[in-house]
């Protein structure tokens, strides 16, 4: 791809009819953060989905990116997340307002519970998840969030939330890459009309040296990173690769001009070994 805004990112329709870009840019404390690179992604590469969280601590810097990009707010998709220390009903709403203020926005496109466990003493995780989720439901009903979702939730967390609350999450964001393929969770999300989003699509770089990935990169004349991102997207996962390098971000966008053959998708599917390169929420009650 040449001039970098000459493409339009495909979208995934959420259960409430809102269209969410299938490709964005992630931000994380791990591996560093480059404000210039995120600005390049939005202004020069056509990326519209920016994924962040209070925990990562880049809200003020991202406010500057949003201003400097020149992209209308209505064309952007801003994801932010509620950290578990704010899982009280009132504290959740206050945390939301502070995040919006820090980012210089009036609303978020999606606000998520960041983690199924709580950091508040005295009550069980399930109760605190439900209380925080009810605050998000209220924000959604008031139009302050276009959608609401969860991150790192397993099936049992989603089942409990469905029993305890009114709005089924529009999105569930979890670790997803060739070595970590939670297929039962993906199928559950499909059945419940919850969009599936994956982070760490390159397994923090571990997938880039895998012989199968390298072989496919050579076959398609692409980079290993593009193979991993294309695989995620072809599996229907909203994908948010992270990089601090401008050339890598531009490369990560160039995944819509080719398609992996079914046999090659299956070859990557066989790479699953269950490893986590990030947090593992499996045992959170």
């Amino acid at each position: 791809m040449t001039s970098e805004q000459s493409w339009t990112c495909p979208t995934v329709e959420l259960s409430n009819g809102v269209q969410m870009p299938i490709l964005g840019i992630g931000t994380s404390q791990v591996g560093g953060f480059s404000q210039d690179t995120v600005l390049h992604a939005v202004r020069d590469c056509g990326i519209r989905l920016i994924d962040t969280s209070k925990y990562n601590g880049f809200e003020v810097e991202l406010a500057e990116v949003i201003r400097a990009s020149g992209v209308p707010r209505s064309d952007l998709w801003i994801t932010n997340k509620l950290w578990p220390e704010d899982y009280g009903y009132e504290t959740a709403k206050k945390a939301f307002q502070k995040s919006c203020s820090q980012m210089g926005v009036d609303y978020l496109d999606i606000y998520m519970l960041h983690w199924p466990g709580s950091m508040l003493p005295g009550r069980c995780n399930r109760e605190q998840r439900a209380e925080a989720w009810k605050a998000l439901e209220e924000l959604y009903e008031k139009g302050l969030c276009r959608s609401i979702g969860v991150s790192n939730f397993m099936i049992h967390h989603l089942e409990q939330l469905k029993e305890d609350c009114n709005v089924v999450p529009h999105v569930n964001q979890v670790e997803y890459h060739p070595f970590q393929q939670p297929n039962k969770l993906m199928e559950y999300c499909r059945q419940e009309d919850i969009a599936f989003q994956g982070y760490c699509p390159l397994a923090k770089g571990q997938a880039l040296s895998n012989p199968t990935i390298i072989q496919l990169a050579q076959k398609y004349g692409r980079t290993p990173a593009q193979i991993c991102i294309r695989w995620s997207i072809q599996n229907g996962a909203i994908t948010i690769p992270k990089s601090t390098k401008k050339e890598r971000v531009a490369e990560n966008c160039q995944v819509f001009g080719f398609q992996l053959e079914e046999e090659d998708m299956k070859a990557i599917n066989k790479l699953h070994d269950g490893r986590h390169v990030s947090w593992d929420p499996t045992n959170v009650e």
Side-chain angles (χ1 to χ4, degrees):
M1 195 181 309
T2 53
S3 161
E4 298 176 277
Q5 289 193 12
S6 60
W7 65 291
T8 300
C9 185
T11 58
V12 171
E13 184 171 323
L14 306 185
S15 60
N16 63 351
V18 173
Q19 300 287 335
M20 181 174 181
I22 201 167
L23 180 68
I25 186 166
T27 60
S28 169
Q29 296 174 332
V30 179
F33 171 78
S34 169
Q35 184 176 325
D36 285 346
T37 298
V38 179
L39 177 59
H40 176 68
V42 177
R43 185 182 60 198
D44 305 321
C45 299
I47 286 290
R48 294 294 176 261
L49 189 168
I50 304 171
D51 183 284
T52 195
S53 68
K54 173 190 172 181
Y55 173 76
N56 287 330
F58 306 129
E59 292 171 325
V60 172
E61 290 87 346
L62 291 173
E64 295 173 10
V65 166
I66 292 166
R67 283 196 299 270
S69 72
V71 176
R73 171 67 185 93
S74 58
D75 290 347
L76 293 172
W77 182 282
I78 309 296
T79 299
N80 207 327
K81 306 181 193 81
L82 179 71
W83 189 237
E85 66 185 9
D86 296 319
Y87 273 11
Y89 178 73
E90 291 299 335
T91 50
K93 291 192 288 184
K94 288 177 184 174
F96 169 84
Q97 293 295 350
K98 184 173 182 182
S99 285
C100 284
S101 176
Q102 296 269 74
M103 295 191 78
V105 297
D106 297 325
Y107 68 95
L108 294 175
D109 295 278
I110 190 165
Y111 198 41
M112 294 179 162
L113 300 186
H114 200 152
W115 180 251
S118 172
M119 294 180 170
L120 303 175
R123 285 178 302 147
C124 71
N125 287 331
R126 178 173 183 169
E127 288 179 353
Q128 296 193 42
R129 284 194 296 268
E131 190 168 313
W133 187 251
K134 285 171 183 172
L136 267 61
E137 288 181 334
E138 184 178 313
L139 294 168
Y140 174 59
E141 287 161 8
K142 288 182 175 180
L144 296 170
C145 308
R146 296 178 68 210
S147 53
I148 50 178
V150 293
S151 185
N152 300 296
F153 274 44
M154 300 291 98
I155 292 173
H156 65 283
H157 305 132
L158 294 165
E159 282 282 285
Q160 289 172 357
L161 207 60
K162 195 168 68 169
E163 291 172 10
D164 297 340
C165 301
N166 297 317
V167 179
V168 174
H170 299 117
V171 179
N172 184 24
Q173 180 191 114
V174 301
E175 182 180 338
Y176 183 64
H177 48 75
F179 310 127
Q180 177 55 233
Q181 302 178 40
N183 292 324
K184 288 183 180 177
L185 177 61
M186 288 186 83
E187 182 56 34
Y188 175 88
C189 288
R190 285 193 192 100
Q191 290 172 357
E192 298 297 325
D193 208 7
I194 300 169
F196 184 90
Q197 182 175 21
Y199 65 83
C200 293
L202 312 180
K204 293 187 177 173
Q206 292 180 26
L208 304 183
S209 58
N210 179 270
T212 299
I213 301 295
I214 291 171
Q215 184 181 10
L216 292 175
Q218 292 169 345
K219 173 180 175 178
Y220 289 91
R222 299 284 175 162
T223 66
Q226 288 171 334
I227 297 297
C228 292
I229 295 166
R230 181 68 214 178
W231 170 81
S232 288
I233 287 171
Q234 272 185 232
N235 279 329
I238 299 164
T239 307
I240 45 171
K242 170 192 176 290
S243 181
T244 58
K245 296 181 171 64
K246 292 180 181 180
E247 64 273 16
R248 295 287 186 223
V249 169
E251 171 190 312
N252 292 346
C253 297
Q254 298 173 32
V255 292
F256 299 107
F258 74 108
Q259 188 155 342
L260 297 172
E261 296 173 8
E262 187 176 351
E263 63 179 0
D264 297 329
M265 292 291 290
K266 288 179 179 177
I268 300 175
N269 292 346
K270 290 177 182 175
L271 298 179
H272 172 75
D273 59 18
R275 84 179 79 161
H276 282 274
V277 299
S278 187
W279 307 335
D280 182 359
T282 306
N283 296 321
V284 177
E285 294 181 356

